[in-house]
Amino acid sequence: MPSNEQIVHQALGRIEAGYVFPEKTAAVDAAIRRRLAQGEYGGLDGPSLCEAVTSHLQEVCPDKHLRLLWVDQPQSLDPADDDKGRAAFRALLRAENQGIRRVEQLEGNIGLVDVRWIASADEGAATIGAAMQLVAGSSALVVDLRECRGGAPEGAAMWCSYFFPDDQVHLNDFYERSTGATRQFWTAAHLPAPRYTGRPVLVLTSSVTFSGGEDVAYTLQAHGRAELVGETTRGGAHPTDRHPVTEHIMVTVPTARTINSVTGTNWEGTGVVPDIAAPAGEALDVALRTALERLGA
């Protein structure tokens, strides 16, 4: 079992090698090593170490994706098995119905899709399409992202694609540090269910909504395709890789940044601000009233 000092050294190495803003890594490294030298991490158990280091990382660099995470399930430490957390995320999505918790038809022919994770565009496409097929005949749609904690950029683009008429909408760009390249995301040309256009779309948000969920909310809002109802979101906009440090500790390193094609920026550190503010527990009722108003009911 590596010592806390070895764990911190290895995590800092990953951050230095991969963090999307390399100019910030020196300050991060110096701050954490100073605390390490002062013995602040010496007697901590694994979960406490993760909590402390994460807090100190974000004091220096307030990036909510920059973290040490404790995981209960043991993970492989073989370098050949380090796929940046992708296999674990795919397994989670399979266990969580590709992130879709429920689909309903509510009074007034208003559809509701409750999304907890943003699935990848390959494995998640059929399930996302099935959900959108079920609400295809509704007069208005509520997309509930209040408990959505993240997901895949490609999946966020697929979700957004349903709400535009064709493949001609430039959604956003992702700059990746490892390649120095910027990847464009556009609406998809082909989808497994009908597009949802010409009707009101309300997106529910909360202080829990994070990362990929924020991507969908921010993108639809910026392009004027949805009204957001609820609370300001957590504010994490940087796509992230996960690397095991021990069998139970991983370091998450943001390796890219999002650039919205409309705003030229993103929601990092600020969160996505709703159009209609409401406590999370009341957001659905507010959205339903708003949908009926938009429909003239």
Side-chain angles (χ1 to χ4, degrees), residues 205-216:
T205 61
S206 77
S207 60
V208 172
T209 310
F210 191 56
S211 193
E214 293 177 289
D215 187 348
V216 173

Side-chain angles (χ1 to χ4, degrees), residues 95-116:
E96 296 283 341
N97 195 39
Q98 298 300 326
I100 298 172
R101 178 59 59 90
R102 62 185 173 129
V103 182
E104 292 187 39
Q105 182 185 30
L106 304 177
E107 292 295 325
N109 194 30
I110 298 173
L112 170 69
V113 182
D114 183 347
V115 184
R116 303 298 176 92

Side-chain angles (χ1 to χ4, degrees), residues 24-227:
K24 297 182 180 181
T25 59
V28 168
D29 190 85
I32 300 302
R33 290 187 189 280
R34 182 173 62 252
R35 291 180 180 274
L36 187 64
Q38 293 169 350
E40 292 192 30
Y41 305 131
L44 301 179
D45 63 13
S48 299
L49 175 67
C50 291
E51 183 178 350
V53 173
T54 296
S55 174
H56 298 152
L57 285 170
Q58 294 182 6
E59 281 180 15
V60 184
C61 184
D63 185 325
K64 290 186 173 62
H65 278 107
L66 192 62
R67 298 175 288 179
L68 277 191
L69 291 179
W70 175 268
V71 293
D72 292 327
Q73 187 70 28
Q75 35 190 358
S76 171
L77 298 179
D78 188 332
D81 295 331
D82 184 3
D83 69 345
K84 305 174 184 178
R86 295 189 180 99
F89 183 62
R90 287 195 295 270
L92 170 67
L93 289 170
R94 292 178 195 131
E96 296 283 341
N97 195 39
Q98 298 300 326
I100 298 172
R101 178 59 59 90
R102 62 185 173 129
V103 182
E104 292 187 39
Q105 182 185 30
L106 304 177
E107 292 295 325
N109 194 30
I110 298 173
L112 170 69
V113 182
D114 183 347
V115 184
R116 303 298 176 92
W117 296 98
I118 303 300
S120 58
D122 48 6
E123 288 195 15
T127 307
I128 294 169
M132 292 304 297
Q133 184 70 60
L134 288 173
V135 299
S138 60
S139 300
L141 180 63
V142 176
V143 181
D144 189 349
L145 299 177
R146 288 176 294 179
E147 296 291 332
C148 187
R149 288 168 165 79
E154 297 86 353
M158 170 168 279
W159 271 110
C160 291
S161 294
Y162 277 98
F163 304 106
F164 297 95
D166 51 37
D167 60 352
Q168 298 301 303
V169 180
H170 180 196
L171 299 171
N172 51 35
D173 297 330
F174 277 59
Y175 167 78
E176 297 183 3
R177 174 187 167 179
S178 62
T179 63
T182 298
R183 177 182 179 185
Q184 295 185 342
F185 283 89
W186 292 68
T187 46
H190 303 287
L191 296 167
R195 295 179 188 270
Y196 198 93
T197 58
R199 288 161 286 176
V201 177
L202 288 301
V203 174
L204 308 185
T205 61
S206 77
S207 60
V208 172
T209 310
F210 191 56
S211 193
E214 293 177 289
D215 187 348
V216 173
Y218 187 91
T219 301
L220 293 178
Q221 182 188 56
H223 285 269
R225 187 56 191 94
E227 290 182 271

